[in-house]
Amino acid sequence: MDSKNLQNLPVKFNSLISYLIEGNNRFVNNKCKIHNFIEERAKTEKLQNPEIIILTCSDSRVIPEYIFDTQIGNLFVIRSAGNIISKTTLGSIEFALLSFNCPLFLVLGHQSCGAIISVYKNILPSENIIYLADFIRPAITSTTNQQISEAELINNAVKENIFLQMKKSIQSSKVIKSTIENGDLAIIGAYYHLDSGKVELLDKAYYR
């Protein structure tokens, strides 16, 4: 399945993307809503109905619920260093799709990602970090020949990693692939700027 241009995304997904963009704009401009967490917690105590799946990095500075100024229960968030697609994260995505029929799946990478930097600099001090690095290395390999600064190279690798994980999710999961083919799911990618708080939607997407 080939990626498509985000601008041609079917209209039915636009409201969810607008929801994310509007929340991020509030976050960037320090105008976040005042949340009554006691009330939000009570409303979701017995039932959750998230519409958006987000696979993002475990980085402590990347908190989707804050970045998109959302309420409790609105996002199904999966975290892994380097926002990688593995059997564990795939199982979590499939669980959300089959349990809640979430129509939007966002892979969210970020500026100066430590996992990307560790792989780029080959700082892999344990067996399990080496295992994780294998998922990220293709993004590093595809960008190392670019004649740019190290910082630019790393951030380009972050974006390439987002695209690779998006594609891998479809290649590795019959559930994800069939849900897209049925027109019930769109996969998009985004890059979070640590310095400004801005989420940049990327141009590639997967949808029917």
Side-chain angles (χ1 to χ4, degrees), residues 154-169:
I154 288 168
N155 286 322
N156 283 356
V158 170
K159 293 180 180 180
E160 183 62 24
N161 184 55
I162 293 167
F163 295 140
L164 290 176
Q165 303 308 324
M166 290 166 63
K167 186 173 184 178
K168 188 175 181 181
S169 72

Side-chain angles (χ1 to χ4, degrees), residues 114-126 129-130 133 137:
I116 300 288
I117 293 170
S118 293
V119 178
Y120 173 72
K121 295 186 175 181
N122 202 33
I123 304 172
L124 308 171
S126 76
I129 294 175
I130 291 171
R137 192 168 285 107

Side-chain angles (χ1 to χ4, degrees), residues 55 76 78-80 84-95 131 135:
L55 171 63
F76 192 93
I78 304 157
R79 300 181 69 131
S80 170
I84 62 168
I85 289 292
S86 65
K87 285 189 175 294
T88 301
T89 53
L90 274 177
S92 299
I93 295 162
E94 290 179 359
F95 176 82
Y131 170 79
F135 292 87

Side-chain angles (χ1 to χ4, degrees), residues 3-44:
S3 63
K4 299 179 181 179
N5 193 297
L6 180 66
Q7 278 66 43
N8 297 324
L9 196 71
V11 173
K12 66 179 181 178
F13 300 111
N14 287 349
S15 61
L16 292 176
I17 292 177
S18 295
Y19 172 78
L20 293 176
I21 292 172
E22 289 168 7
N24 181 239
N25 286 338
R26 291 194 299 272
F27 175 73
V28 169
N29 294 298
N30 200 28
K31 294 182 178 180
C32 290
K33 294 180 178 179
I34 297 174
H35 292 273
N36 185 329
F37 291 116
I38 294 175
E39 186 177 291
E40 289 180 19
R41 188 171 66 240
K43 285 181 178 179
T44 56

